[in-house]
Every structure is written in C-alpha cells, then in structure tokens.
Amino acid sequence: MTVNYTTPAAKQLHSVAGVRLGTAEAGIRKANRQDLTLITLDTGCRVSGVFTQNRFCAAPVHLCRRHLSGSGEIRALVINTGIANAGTGEQGMQAARATCEAVARLLSVDASQVLPFSTGVILEPLPVERLIAGLPRCQADLADNHWFEAAHAIMTTDTVAKAASRQVMINDKTVTVTGMSKGAGMIRPNMATMLGFVATDAGIAQPLLKALVKEAADESFNCITIDGDTSTNDSFILIASGRSGVDFTAADAAGYAELRAAVIGVARELAQAIVRDGEGATKFITVAVENGRDHEECKTVGYAVAHSPLVKTAFFASDPNLGRILAAIGYARIDNLDVDKVRVWLANAGEETLVAEKGGRAASYREEDGARIMQSAEITVRIDLGRGQARGVVYTSDLSYEYVKINADYRS
C-alpha cells in the first residue's frame, strides 16, 4: 500500500540518448524475479555520485568511490537486489571486483569503468557466480526505453517501482531528465537501503555535475526519513550523456537554471515516492520548518519531529496528541531556543489550524480540528522557530503495525 503514488507507465518514462538498460532473473536471493540490472553508457557520458556516510558502507560503495575518483570515464553500472554485499569484509570486496571485471569483459571496457551497486540483506555473501551468469541476459535486453523494467528490477521490500521523467526546452532544444530509485525501509539518507539513478541528455562539465548531484541530493534524498536508519548502501548517481546538443560548463550559463530545476524536480519526486512507499506507511507527512537561524537548524528540528516514534505512531492512529511534536522540537538541541516564540500548525490540502504558540496550546485550537486533519493521508506540520529567516523541509511517513511485521519477517 502506498500513499497517493502510482508508478508511471513505461511510455511516460522518456529515453535518455546514450543510456541503455537491461534486466535479467539471476536468482541472487529469490527465484522468478528480475533482480539484476545493467546500464551501459556511450562514450562521452559524465557521471558523478554521492554515497552513504555509514561507516559499515558496503563493498560496492567503496569500489564506486574509487572508480569515480579515477581519470577514466564510466561506461557501465550494474545493480543487484536481494543481497547488499555489506558487512562481508574482503570476500565482499572480491565479489564487487569480480562483478566489475565480468561486466568489463562483456563490454570490452576496463573494470575501473564499471560502477557496482547492491541492495538487500546485510551480512550475507553475494552469490557472485549467479550474478555473473545473468549478465549476458542483461546485455541481450539492453534498450534505451527500459527504465520501467529497470525500476522494477532494483526493488527489495518496495511495493511499487519508483520512476520519474520530464522534458524541458532549453535553447530551443528538448532536454530529457529520467530517473529511478528504490527504497522503503532503512531510510534516512545522510549523503554526503536507498538507491537513486538519474540521467539527462544534457552535457554537464564534470565540476558542475559534481556540484549538481550534491545539490539534488540535499534537496531530495537528504530530506527524507522513514525510520531514521542510514543504510550501508545509499547511493545517488547523476549521469549526463551530452547527446541533446545542450552543454553547460558554468552554473550561470543561460538555461542551466531550468536544467537544475528539472534534475532536482525528478530527484525530489523519486525521494518522495520512497516515503510514500515507506514500509507499512499510511500517511505522507511534510515537516516544514521556517524562520530558523540557518538551514541546518531547520533540518535538525524537522528530523527530530520526523524521527520520533511517538509522533509517528500518533499520526498512524490519527490521534492529535500534538504535545509530542513540541517535545521533539524541545529535544532537538537548538541553542537558546525561545519556546515562547515557537508556533506550530497542522494542515492538510484544505485547511490549517494553529496548534501551539507562546509556549503552549494555542487559545484558538480545537481538538476536533486537529482530529479532522489527522485523518488525512497527506499532512503538513509547519513549525515557525521565530529566530531568523532560514527554512528547511523533511518528508516522512507514519509508523504502523505493518512496519514491524515487514521488518520482523524481512529475511524469511
């Protein structure tokens, strides 16, 4: 069950020239499901990425960082689901290297030009021989319009595939941005078990691409949390093929603002889809914090509210026990916060009610108003800190019985 999200149809996902995708059933962990994806990139594509800050980061993350830091261009990405290849020590590194070497042989490129990604169960060895055996089938399936199939093949506990696409006119040319992501639990990316891949046919100089992928992550995947757990495998990759004929070398170039908005828009849509498909989620919650001293302060307060199990369970029960929100704001460790200046609203698409001000319950607040809004599938908590002009937003879900059930049974 998702909160107001449906996977786009295959025809709604525009091809990105220079990028091809193929999938296969490799039997990585479960039979009879697509669990292996190969993405090939034409010569001239540029790639950049950001990754988890979890110290137990997976072997593929280590290898991706190493290959991206090299001087050679990236020609392929390979993604397996079912086994995360994390917490697997030297055996895991050998498996990740063997994966890259197998792809390199298949495509006649160098192993350092391949980026590997894994997602699934941690602390279990990757059956690399099955993965390698599935690669020729991925190669045979390669096509530029297989985003829909690939989005399904990278799923784990996701109940729906997550993809997004848009086109913008820049300098009288059509520029495409298309992406996919996976994730439903262990979600609190802290980027510098979610994966995100976005490609555009615009040309973007490498320094600008590196800045854009971080900006996009900060505006999307770094604004979500389901359970407060940062995975060992979080990765977000941005690919620029340059095949549209529109090229950018500087952020102040004409048309770059439109491209930046399209990339961030696709990334934000994919990130919100992860929350909407959060394990057991029944509500999509936006925590919007305003008038803080700086952006980080606003995000800290937002995450304090969004991480709170007491807040999240109250939302699941549609219980306007909103003192829990005040408590979370209070323990967010904001220096010299004047609680008398803090105001809190609860809102849905049709109405908004002031809940708290002047250090306590708002005189105008009525319990029935809060209860009515809490019944909504999409809810906004708006928090005014009253101490500056900065803003920040966090997207989260409620915490249900089903979340416990899914994660209790995850390996079965």
Side-chain angles (χ1 to χ4, degrees):
M1 176 175 155
T2 60
V3 183
N4 297 336
Y5 181 78
T6 302
T7 306
K11 63 183 179 181
Q12 295 176 294
L13 302 174
H14 304 292
S15 300
V16 177
V19 179
R20 296 188 298 155
L21 309 92
T23 65
E25 292 183 12
I28 301 294
R29 185 162 176 267
K30 293 183 178 180
N32 303 316
R33 65 148 298 172
Q34 301 290 109
D35 57 4
L36 184 62
T37 301
L38 179 65
I39 303 176
T40 62
L41 310 179
D42 287 354
T43 300
C45 288
R46 295 191 177 100
V47 181
S48 191
V50 288
F51 301 90
T52 181
Q53 294 184 12
N54 191 309
R55 295 299 296 172
F56 268 104
C57 63
V61 171
H62 283 291
L63 214 51
C64 279
R65 285 176 172 149
R66 189 176 307 164
H67 289 180
L68 282 171
S69 68
S71 58
E73 63 180 13
I74 300 301
R75 297 296 308 280
L77 291 71
V78 58
I79 310 153
N80 77 269
T81 186
I83 300 295
N85 196 14
T88 47
E90 180 56 29
Q91 179 185 11
M93 284 300 299
Q94 290 177 4
R97 291 191 199 101
T99 297
C100 294
E101 290 164 1
V103 172
R105 287 193 299 271
L106 199 65
L107 302 179
S108 299
V109 299
D110 192 87
S112 64
Q113 296 178 289
V114 180
L115 301 181
F117 303 87
S118 298
T119 183
V121 178
I122 298 169
L123 215 66
E124 291 189 10
L126 177 69
V128 68
E129 68 288 345
R130 296 182 208 164
L131 188 159
I132 292 172
L135 287 173
R137 296 193 294 278
C138 287
Q139 184 185 34
D141 187 56
L142 286 170
D144 62 6
N145 63 345
H146 279 181
W147 285 94
F148 182 84
E149 293 79 4
H152 283 81
I154 64 174
M155 293 166 56
T156 51
T157 58
D158 310 61
T159 66
V160 295
K162 302 164 182 70
S165 189
R166 58 186 64 185
Q167 292 182 318
V168 292
M169 292 299 296
I170 299 177
N171 302 334
D172 297 323
K173 294 182 179 180
T174 301
V175 173
T176 298
V177 181
T178 298
M180 61 181 179
S181 65
K182 64 80 51 185
M186 194 174 274
I187 296 296
R188 198 287 197 189
N190 185 17
M191 294 176 183
T193 318
M194 66 126 269
L195 300 178
F197 305 92
V198 172
T200 177
D201 55 7
I204 307 175
Q206 195 67 40
L208 194 57
L209 187 69
K210 185 176 181 179
L212 181 56
V213 73
K214 187 177 187 308
E215 285 182 284
D218 285 343
E219 293 290 331
S220 59
F221 297 108
N222 284 343
C223 292
I224 65 173
T225 181
I226 290 173
D227 45 27
D229 278 1
T230 297
S231 168
T232 53
N233 294 58
D234 291 339
S235 305
F236 173 46
I237 298 296
L238 181 58
I239 301 162
S241 75
R243 294 286 295 276
S244 68
V246 176
D247 293 287
F248 296 101
T249 59
D252 58 359
Y256 182 74
E258 289 83 353
L259 174 65
R260 178 183 179 276
V263 169
I264 291 175
V266 166
R268 187 180 289 126
E269 188 174 336
L270 294 173
Q272 290 186 7
I274 289 175
V275 175
R276 294 180 185 280
D277 190 32
E279 291 171 340
T282 68
K283 307 238 173 114
F284 178 84
I285 302 160
T286 299
V287 184
V289 184
E290 58 192 43
N291 297 325
R293 287 185 179 170
D294 54 46
H295 178 71
E296 284 306 309
E297 176 176 281
C298 294
K299 290 289 286 289
T300 297
V301 171
Y303 271 123
V305 174
H307 285 160
S308 167
L310 291 178
V311 170
K312 292 163 78 70
T313 50
F315 276 106
F316 171 63
S318 299
D319 175 18
N321 189 353
L322 303 176
R324 294 177 176 182
I325 294 174
L326 292 189
I329 296 170
Y331 64 60
R333 297 184 179 180
I334 302 303
D335 292 339
N336 303 315
L337 179 65
D338 185 347
V339 298
D340 288 337
K341 293 182 179 180
V342 174
R343 294 185 294 168
V344 179
W345 291 263
L346 195 65
N348 60 18
E351 63 179 312
E352 181 178 72
T353 183
L354 180 64
V355 172
E357 63 178 346
K358 299 177 182 178
R361 181 179 177 131
S364 60
Y365 176 68
R366 298 188 304 164
E367 182 85 358
E368 55 266 35
D369 294 335
R372 184 172 57 255
I373 293 173
M374 290 285 277
Q375 294 287 336
S376 307
E378 299 203 25
I379 302 167
T380 295
V381 178
R382 184 161 69 93
I383 302 167
D384 183 342
L385 297 180
R387 53 195 257 128
Q389 296 181 320
R391 297 172 179 268
V393 65
V394 173
Y395 307 103
T396 191
S397 59
D398 56 343
L399 190 60
S400 69
Y401 307 128
E402 191 66 17
Y403 176 87
V404 177
K405 181 180 178 182
I406 289 168
N407 283 284
D409 295 339
Y410 180 65
R411 296 203 307 161
S412 61

